[in-house]
Amino acid sequence: PIVLTTDFGLSDYYVGVMKGVILGINPHANIIDLTHHVPPQNIRQAAFILGVNHRFFPTGAIHVAVVDPGVGTSRQALLLTTPHGRFVGPDNGLFSGVIRGYLPGLPNASGLVPVPQGCSARALTQPRYWLDPVSNTFHGRDVFSPVAAHLSLGVPDQDMGSSLETIEYLAAPQPSISTSGQ
């Protein structure tokens, strides 16, 4: 299946057109909506949702996640492959909840982290797998959905772009225990 997670909501056409793009490339794709109600631009919330829920989908599921306040900037488009599934979206920390389970220790700070052992990451740099032209504001339609559809048809990960050694990570807030004020 191709699993969609966005902050688009359902009152506009965005989710529908992403599904249309996927089905235009792979008419037999099985598309599942995880949620489209991530609070707007809340990357940490989306990372949490993906981290908690991705393992409930079949091994090999392709997750397209779009919570992307940096669309149109120099942030990379990413394909992350884990032992459980593949994840397509912006390299902005969105997949932090997914890789947390593969990291030997949890980083205390946000920033670049090495791609965990047993996982791989690729920059999506092959425009032959995108729509043309690519807009500056809708990479969910123009880059991420077409890439997922091509992956679902068996296009190998390595055809999507160059290998990455590091990806963006957002450290999760950690609870603290305090005995003061009781």
Side-chain angles (χ1 to χ4, degrees):
I2 297 174
V3 183
L4 303 178
T5 303
T6 75
D7 62 351
F8 296 160
L10 294 174
S11 63
D12 289 315
Y13 63 88
Y14 303 110
V15 174
V17 81
M18 285 176 58
K19 291 178 181 184
V21 167
I22 291 167
L23 293 170
I25 295 167
N26 180 358
H28 303 290
N30 179 14
I31 303 170
I32 300 170
D33 298 298
L34 178 56
T35 184
H36 299 292
H37 293 287
V38 172
Q41 302 184 2
N42 192 330
I43 299 169
R44 286 184 197 281
Q45 180 69 25
F48 174 78
I49 290 168
L50 286 168
V52 169
N53 293 298
H54 75 278
R55 291 181 184 265
F56 293 103
F57 293 92
T59 300
I62 301 165
H63 294 262
V64 176
V66 188
V67 178
D68 194 11
V71 67
T73 68
S74 62
R75 68 95 183 102
Q76 293 190 97
L78 176 69
L79 166 60
L80 172 68
T81 302
T82 72
H84 197 76
R86 291 181 283 184
F87 300 83
V88 178
D91 185 15
N92 63 5
L94 187 55
F95 303 122
S96 299
V98 172
I99 65 169
R100 244 177 230 118
Y102 299 102
L103 293 169
L106 292 180
N108 293 328
S110 298
L112 291 175
V113 297
V115 174
Q117 191 169 8
C119 300
S120 66
R122 298 198 168 272
L124 300 177
T125 58
Q126 296 302 315
R128 70 179 177 259
Y129 297 111
W130 310 344
L131 294 188
D132 183 34
V134 173
S135 78
N136 289 330
T137 59
F138 199 179
H139 289 179
R141 175 194 63 203
D142 299 338
V143 178
F144 306 137
S145 292
V147 164
H150 287 291
L151 289 170
S152 75
L153 289 171
V155 174
D157 291 6
Q158 59 267 22
D159 287 3
M160 294 297 166
S162 56
S163 181
L164 297 171
E165 300 292 322
T166 59
I167 60 174
E168 287 292 332
Y169 178 82
L170 291 175
Q174 297 299 310
S176 62
I177 299 172
S178 172
T179 57
S180 64
Q182 290 189 14

